Structure formats: C-alpha cells, structure tokens
Amino acid sequence: MTITITNIKRIGSDQTESVTIENGTIKGWNLPAEGETIDGQGGTVAPAFTELHAHLREPGQTEKEDLSSGLAAAAAGGYGTVVSMPNTSPVVDDPAIVRSLIQKAQGLGFARLRPAAALTRGQQGEALAELTYLKEAGAAMFTDDGRTNENARTLRLGLETAASLGMVVSVHAEDASLRADGVMNEGAVSEALGLPGNPAAAEAARVARDIEIVAGLHAQGRPARLHIQHLSTARALDLVREAKKRGLSVTCEVCPHHLTLTDEALRSFDAIYKVAPPLRTQADAEHLLEGLRDGSVDCLATDHAPHTRAEKERDLLEAPSGIAYIELAFPLMYTRFGESLGLERIIELMTTAPARVMGWPEPSLEAGAPADLVVLDLETERTVEPATFRSKAKFTPWAGESLKGWPLLTVVDGKVAYRRV
Amino acid sequence: MSAATTTTSARPRHLLDFTEWSPERLNAILDNADTMLQVLDRPVKKVPALQGMTVCTAFFESSTRTRTSFELAARRMSADVMTFAAGASSASKGESLRDTVEVLTQYKVDAYIVRHHAAGAAHLVARYSGKPVINAGDGRRAHPTQALLDAYTIRQEFGSLEGKTVAILGDVRHSRVARSNAELLPKLGAKVVLCGPATLLPAELGTLPGVTLTSDPQAAVRGAHAVMALRLQQERMGGGFLGSLQEYADTYQVNEGLMQEAESGAIVLHPGPMNRDVEISHEAADGPRSRILKQVENGQAIRMSVLYHLLVGRE
Ligand SMILES: [Zn+2]
C-alpha cells in the first residue's frame, strides 16, 4: 500500500514538500507521487504522538470507553501509539488479556495499542503478577495505576523484577493515608468550599519513598526504572529533579490539565474538574511548566480517563475522578503554550520524550523510518465541540474554547488512521 | 452557572451560601423574621403568602429537625409541601443528581430545599432545576438558614450584631454551621473567633475577613457576646483527630467555668442535637444564658422569612 502526502512542511522547516509512504515505512521525501495522493493543505508534519497514559476501559467498562472509541479518539488527537492502563474489569494481570487486547486493536485501524499490565495480581498491591509472562505477551510496562502501591516492599520486588526484564514500572504516586477522603487539592479553596482536601504532601511523601527504593536498588547495581505518572505538585517535581541529579532512572510525566486548570475551577462544584491527583494551585502549574521547559519533566501524558456523563453529574464526593481529552491535547498545549514552550518542545514532549521514557526507538521522519506521522494545522482556530468527539466521553472542561493546532491527518503503520483532509 | 453571574446588588435567586448576599438583603430577612414571629404567636398560625405554590424538601441526607422546621415554615405560609427523601439510594442505584432533579421538576415544584452530604450539591440542584433553591446543609460547606437564625438570636439579645464577638468552639473542620456563620456574621458587623483542637481547625479559615482562629478556649471566649458549641461527632475519634472524648471535653467544653471569661450578658448557642457533657455541659445547656430552645423557635421564623423573600417579595 502506497500513499503520497503532498503540500506539507516538516516541523522546523518552511519548505513545502511531499512524503511517500510504502508498506508501513517512509519511502522518501519529494519523490514522484505514487498511490493514493492526499493534500496536506499546508500542514506541518511531525511523528505521530505517543500517549503513555490512557484509560480505554476495555475489558469490562465499555459504557465509558472501548478500544474502538478510545483508539479512534487517540488517532483523531494525532496519536500513533497508546499505552492503556490495566485498571479494567477484570484487571489486565493475565497474559491472555494482554494478547487479546493487542489482537483486537490491530484490526481496528486506529492508533496502535501497547497495553500496560498490572504490577500486582488484581492490582491488589500485595502479590506480584506474572511479569515475565506479561512481558512475553506484549505488555508495554507494569503499573497499578488507579491504585497507589501502599505496600513498599511489593513495589520494591516489582521494580527488581521489572529491572531484570528491562521494563519500566510506573506509579500513581500518592500516599493513600495522607490523601484520606480528599476530593480536591487541600488549601484555601477546599476550605472555603468545605470539601475534604488532598494535601500536596500526599504526592511528595510518596515520590520521596519511591525514589529511595530506586536509590537502594541502584546502589546494589540494579538500575530499576521508575516512571512517576501525572505529577501535580511543585515539591514532588523538585524531588524528581534531585533524583535525576543522583543519576537514578526516575522519569515523570505531567498532564496538560494540571498545567491549564487549578483548584479554583472546583468553585463551580462541577465534577468534570474532579481528577486524581487533583487540580492544584497556580504556583504548582507554573512550576510544572518550568519543569517542561528545563527538561526535569520527561514527557506529557493526558491520563485520558473517560466516564459516563451521568457519573460526572453526581456530586463531588460521589463522582469518579478523571478528565477525557485525548482528542484535543495537542491543540490545547499548542494554543496555551506554543509561545512559552515553543512548538518543537511540545512536539518533542509528545513524541521522542515518551519513547525515551519507555526505551523505545525514537520516532523519525527520515526515509526508512516507520510511517507513523501526524499532519497538524497550526493556523485555523476551531471551537471545541465535545459532541464531535470520537471518545464516548462527550464532555470536556474546554468545551466552547477556541483552539488551534488540530490534527488534519494521522498515519499509523503506513495507513490512514484519521483524516480531516 | 446562573448563581455566579448575578451581581451583588441584584436580589439573589437562591440561598446557597452568602456569597451573593449584601448586608442589606440579609438584614431585610432578619427584619422580616420579626413579623413571622408575630404570626407564630397568633391563634391561627397561618398566612396566605405562598398559597398555590409547592415547595419540595429534597433531603438526600436525613435530618428530621431541619426538615420539620422547613416544612412547618412552608405550611404556615400556606404552601403545599412535597417531601422527597432520597437518602443515598438514588445515587447508589447509579442515578445522577441531575437525573433526580430533572424528575422532580416534572412535579412543577416552585422551590427546593436541599440537604445533601456533599458540599456543592445545592449549587448543582440550582443549576439543574431552574427554580429557587434553599441550601438546608451541604456537606461541610454551608447551612445558611442555621447561620441566619443564629444571627437573629444574637440580634434579638443585643439589638444589633455591630461590634459583637461570637466564639464558635468545636469541630470547625467538619462544620457547615461554623463556615456559614464565619461567612455571615462579619457581613453583619460581628467578629468571629473559631476555636478547637488544631486538627479540627483548618488554618485557611483564618484568612476570611473578620475571622480569627485559636486553639485556646479561654482566649476565644474572652470578651465574647455569644458562645456557640458545635456538635462533636463521635466518629471523628476513629479519624485520629482527637486523643479522647474526655480530653476534648476537659479542654473545649462550653460550661459555666468557661463562660466566666465571656462578657457578663453573654449567651450560649448550640445548633443541636447536643452531646450533653461532651461539647456542652448540662448546666450551660439549660442555664439562664442558654438560648438553644429560642434558636429552634427563631429557626422557623427565619425559614418563613427566607421563603417569602425568595418566592414572593421579588421585584
Ligand atoms: Zn493515576
């Protein structure tokens, strides 16, 4: 299968070019057009994005999302690869589930699925899952996300095992006892609203503990790879900075919603703003943004966490946590931070950076590289209309906002996974 | 939401908390309660003000006292009353608050009185119902009619709240009564001192205008014109907030000894129901300074006044 995309600019260049794709790889640039020709409408080409943190809800919670809706949404957001979280029903702690998910996703023709598997059986945090078999089945990483690894010894054993397999363990770093019944950031806003708060220290204390576990293993010559998910506080980021200085394999991701929203949003009492970890303060958001700039934050991830509308229309204590916006992650980042971070850094944080965290080959647009790419319209402003989302979660905090940077075309494995052109 | 866009000079559509209520509006409610008290003293305790209207008490959390007070207030104004007691049942059946409210709106209700265990639930009902909503207590957030009846009771005693000091002792952290009073009383010219063990006294509340915090009960009560004891919930013990009930009672109980520190004419308040001899002593609860039963009577008048203000007295 051959496709030629014309009228596009490579990121970082002003030149209008064309690219030819054949059998899943980039054949070359500015060759005579072959196969199906697609007009890129002057868009900018980058490698397709990689999402390290999405909840696709299959198996078991398909009323919220399923592989088809979730991977279609990802492709519409410019993503070529998605790592799905294993906190499904049942939990992805069995090699057979990993295999069946990969197989099912392959037939869909949207973004590529790389399922994460549970670190512990049933994500119960006590007994390790069969990490060796899970890796063989195709698991991308191990995580108990959705839960918080209260048992430090089990996490340590998991990090040791994963290290021997060359795999990353990612963690939802939050001390559950400090979080207690908190449903939003603990601070002036939570007290004014009378809502139970979740202190910043719940995250920092857990990050500190996990870093010390990695440091201990490192000292024994076991370079375990710890990835901290959805970092939300300034102090936790400083701890990661120190860990990097110590030469530890500790990486972290930040979510656009923690950069663009603060706990002030909860004054609406709208559970659409309820996320875990919670929206923090403006100072935290600015500190995280600085971390994206200076490299101490490794990559962006959305923590795409769809729920049904009815669940989100409950009160703030009852409603589940999570925002779903994989379709507008790049437009949101580019519109808000295109000037302060720069287009190239944003693209890097969504392409090369997540690949580096995982130890995967770095994406490239050169001839011979896998044909995973996205064409972005950096000019046209479009209103966010949740009704048009591919995701089953058709609501978002940014509904009605005007954003630019929308994907025009996403190619995965040499095939069109999404197109607006 | 509609609530957030109303200006302070406009007449608020709901009583969710006091954010949009000016001191003038609040005083109008207190003034009107005088009239309502007179109605309650008549042989026929009924006026036709809300005739033909239906008021729904939607209690997602049970509270017989508050509901009775609201329902009587509505009936004395000749409104029809519809009782909806959801408990936690509809939520556990998976129905969202929005769905519940949308079903209730089909009964053509004219106003909602909402009690819910979650802060902000009354705001959501206001958003989805399109009718006036009175917050009858939402989580730890607010219980505005309770604060109004407290303010009214103090005003009855001293003629005005201007320059008065009100000490509130107990589990401030989990108290909607404390939060509502801390919001209301300074708007009416009073100072509020919140007092309790450090674990039950969120530091951020000290940033509210006219509000100070202390963990020293003597200091809190010194110079106070009204001293309010908050209900201490026994289950807080399991949360590790307190060493023991005995320790709490020995330190923070409102009793005759502590009241010696207050102004000579100071009164004792309690939102009820009381744990006698825990947060308040028998003697203080039943003594000459106590206005606890008066609060109950005033509560009905205040609720009549609020209903009148929201449903009839609109420009
Ligand atoms: Zn998480």
Side-chain angles (χ1 to χ4, degrees):
Chain A
M1 186 185 185
T2 310
I3 308 172
T4 303
I5 309 167
T6 61
N7 192 14
I8 48 175
K9 292 171 191 153
R10 268 189 266 190
I11 175 172
S13 152
D14 267 342
Q15 214 184 316
T16 299
E17 301 182 90
S18 71
V19 65
T20 302
I21 289 160
E22 194 173 68
N23 298 328
T25 52
I26 294 175
K27 187 177 181 190
W29 288 83
N30 306 317
L31 304 174
E34 261 189 274
E36 186 192 356
T37 303
I38 301 173
D39 179 358
Q41 299 186 353
T44 298
V45 187
F49 306 139
T50 293
E51 171 64 270
L52 292 189
H53 194 150
H55 295 269
L56 300 184
R57 307 299 189 199
E58 192 170 338
Q61 301 158 336
T62 49
E63 72 283 3
K64 296 172 191 265
E65 192 83 287
D66 59 29
L67 288 187
S68 178
S69 63
L71 293 171
Y79 289 86
T81 301
V82 174
V83 175
S84 58
M85 292 296 110
N87 60 333
T88 47
S89 179
V91 163
V92 183
D93 63 354
D94 180 326
I97 305 176
V98 175
R99 275 189 212 99
S100 76
L101 288 174
I102 293 172
Q103 213 162 39
K104 185 167 178 190
Q106 271 167 353
L108 295 173
F110 300 123
R112 179 185 301 105
L113 179 71
R114 302 286 310 262
L119 181 70
T120 63
R121 282 172 197 267
Q123 293 194 309
Q124 295 297 303
E126 295 302 326
L128 289 183
E130 295 171 315
L131 304 186
T132 311
Y133 296 157
L134 289 165
K135 182 194 172 183
E136 280 172 10
M141 61 154 110
F142 303 121
T143 181
D144 283 346
D145 181 48
R147 306 261 187 151
T148 54
N149 297 108
E150 295 309 301
N151 187 328
R153 179 173 176 273
T154 304
L155 178 67
R156 185 174 192 262
L157 295 171
L159 279 162
E160 282 181 299
T161 311
S164 72
L165 298 169
M167 297 279 278
V168 172
V169 172
S170 79
V171 290
H172 179 130
E174 187 173 59
D175 183 304
S177 65
L178 276 175
R179 175 188 64 200
D181 58 354
V183 297
M184 66 174 292
N185 182 52
E186 181 182 285
V189 182
S190 71
E191 288 313 332
L193 299 185
L195 283 163
N198 173 344
E203 181 172 83
R206 176 52 54 87
V207 166
R209 183 200 80 171
D210 292 354
I211 285 172
E212 287 310 316
I213 294 173
V214 172
L217 295 173
H218 186 82
Q220 295 173 351
R222 294 168 193 241
R225 287 158 60 195
L226 175 75
H227 179 65
I228 297 164
Q229 299 172 326
H230 43 50
L231 205 77
S232 68
T233 60
R235 177 60 194 143
L237 176 56
D238 287 342
L239 290 164
V240 170
R241 282 194 172 120
E242 288 164 33
K244 287 179 194 273
K245 277 192 202 132
R246 290 160 79 184
L248 304 175
S249 282
V250 175
T251 54
C252 69
E253 71 196 23
V254 159
C255 303
H257 59 263
H258 285 126
L259 301 167
T260 51
L261 300 168
T262 68
D263 57 359
E264 293 286 341
L266 272 303
R267 289 192 190 274
S268 65
F269 292 107
D270 192 332
I272 202 167
Y273 299 106
K274 184 178 176 185
V275 280
L279 300 175
R280 303 286 186 182
T281 65
Q282 189 59 37
D284 287 305
E286 281 163 19
H287 203 82
L288 296 177
L289 199 62
E290 186 51 42
L292 289 172
R293 224 175 265 128
D294 69 19
S296 45
V297 173
D298 292 273
C299 67
L300 285 166
T302 70
D303 190 5
H304 178 77
H307 293 289
T308 63
R309 179 154 213 135
E311 287 170 304
K312 282 299 215 179
E313 281 171 352
R314 293 185 188 174
D315 63 77
L316 276 168
L317 302 187
E318 293 274 353
S321 299
I323 298 183
Y325 61 102
I326 199 166
E327 282 160 85
L328 45 90
F330 177 78
L332 184 64
M333 284 302 296
Y334 180 65
T335 308
R336 295 289 185 87
F337 307 116
E339 285 186 9
S340 56
L341 280 177
L343 169 66
E344 275 157 55
R345 177 62 179 151
I346 295 172
I347 298 270
E348 181 189 20
L349 284 162
M350 297 174 73
T351 55
T352 316
R356 260 185 222 143
V357 166
M358 298 299 287
W360 293 341
E362 292 189 8
S364 158
L365 293 175
E366 296 305 312
D372 282 9
L373 52 86
V374 58
V375 180
L376 300 163
D377 175 2
L378 300 179
E379 307 298 332
T380 314
E381 299 234 347
R382 257 179 62 202
T383 305
V384 176
E385 286 171 33
T388 67
F389 284 180
R390 271 91 183 148
S391 169
K392 290 188 181 183
K394 298 192 192 302
F395 46 94
T396 168
W398 299 281
E401 271 190 51
S402 188
L403 302 178
K404 57 185 179 177
W406 296 93
L408 294 169
L409 176 73
T410 308
V411 173
V412 180
D413 252 338
K415 298 182 197 86
V416 173
Y418 168 77
R419 69 184 287 182
R420 267 173 57 81
V421 287
Chain B
M1 95 182 62
S2 62
T5 53
T6 328
T7 61
T8 40
S9 59
R11 179 185 281 258
R13 182 127 195 261
H14 312 284
L15 179 61
L16 303 173
D17 49 44
F18 298 113
T19 315
E20 348 188 283
W21 286 74
S22 66
E24 294 71 36
R25 294 274 173 214
L26 294 165
N27 275 315
I29 287 193
L30 299 186
D31 293 344
N32 210 234
D34 289 339
T35 316
M36 300 306 174
L37 270 187
Q38 287 162 19
V39 171
L40 293 176
D41 271 342
R42 292 182 200 159
V44 178
K45 302 169 186 59
K46 206 155 183 165
V47 289
L50 303 186
Q51 200 145 39
M53 295 189 180
T54 304
V55 171
C56 172
T57 51
F59 274 51
F60 296 85
E61 176 186 84
S62 62
S63 167
T64 312
R65 283 176 180 227
T66 304
R67 206 180 72 210
T68 305
S69 176
F70 269 111
E71 290 182 358
L72 263 180
R75 289 203 174 99
R76 296 207 193 286
M77 312 274 289
S78 302
D80 293 320
V81 174
M82 175 189 157
T83 302
F84 175 77
S89 65
S90 52
S92 59
K93 280 180 207 146
E95 186 173 66
S96 72
L97 189 59
R98 177 182 187 158
D99 289 337
T100 306
V101 172
E102 281 176 351
V103 168
L104 290 176
T105 60
Q106 299 312 309
Y107 296 112
K108 310 297 177 198
V109 168
D110 295 292
Y112 294 86
I113 293 157
V114 179
R115 160 77 70 120
H116 200 287
H117 69 283
H123 291 72
L124 296 182
V125 174
R127 184 187 305 177
Y128 300 137
S129 71
K131 295 287 181 184
V133 172
I134 299 170
N135 184 358
D138 61 334
R140 340 176 157 170
R141 163 74 169 158
H143 192 355
T145 57
Q146 176 70 42
L148 282 167
L149 76 87
D150 292 335
Y152 185 69
T153 308
I154 299 166
R155 196 177 88 157
Q156 221 171 26
E157 198 70 31
F158 300 102
S160 160
L161 283 140
E162 204 63 51
K164 300 295 177 295
T165 299
V166 181
I168 302 176
L169 284 84
D171 182 358
V172 174
R173 176 181 292 276
H174 301 98
S175 174
R176 51 191 167 214
V177 176
R179 268 188 188 73
S180 274
N181 271 297
E183 201 187 343
L184 173 67
L185 298 177
K187 280 199 173 192
L188 300 174
K191 279 190 280 189
V192 172
V193 183
L194 300 174
C195 176
T199 50
L200 296 174
L201 196 64
E204 288 86 354
L205 290 180
T207 62
L208 297 174
V211 177
T212 52
L213 305 184
T214 176
S215 282
D216 176 347
Q218 270 76 28
V221 169
R222 207 163 293 139
H225 299 84
V227 176
M228 184 188 303
L230 298 173
R231 177 177 171 73
L232 189 74
Q233 273 138 20
Q234 317 273 342
E235 64 263 26
R236 301 281 166 245
M237 299 289 299
F241 290 101
L242 295 170
S244 72
L245 274 190
Q246 192 57 52
E247 181 194 52
Y248 175 84
D250 282 346
T251 317
Y252 294 100
Q253 186 183 85
V254 173
N255 53 34
E256 305 277 79
L258 186 65
M259 288 306 291
Q260 295 305 312
E261 304 281 336
E263 286 289 292
S264 56
I267 57 171
V268 168
L269 302 172
H270 192 296
M274 292 181 278
N275 299 299
R276 283 170 183 267
D277 297 323
V278 181
E279 71 266 3
I280 189 165
S281 72
H282 256 93
E283 292 72 21
D286 303 333
R289 292 173 182 276
S290 173
R291 296 293 178 274
I292 296 169
L293 292 175
K294 195 82 193 151
Q295 285 175 278
V296 178
E297 184 188 358
N298 290 341
Q300 218 184 112
I302 282 290
R303 284 165 184 135
M304 289 166 75
S305 179
V306 167
L307 279 167
Y308 184 81
H309 201 82
L310 289 178
L311 282 171
V312 186
R314 301 190 66 83
E315 291 96 323

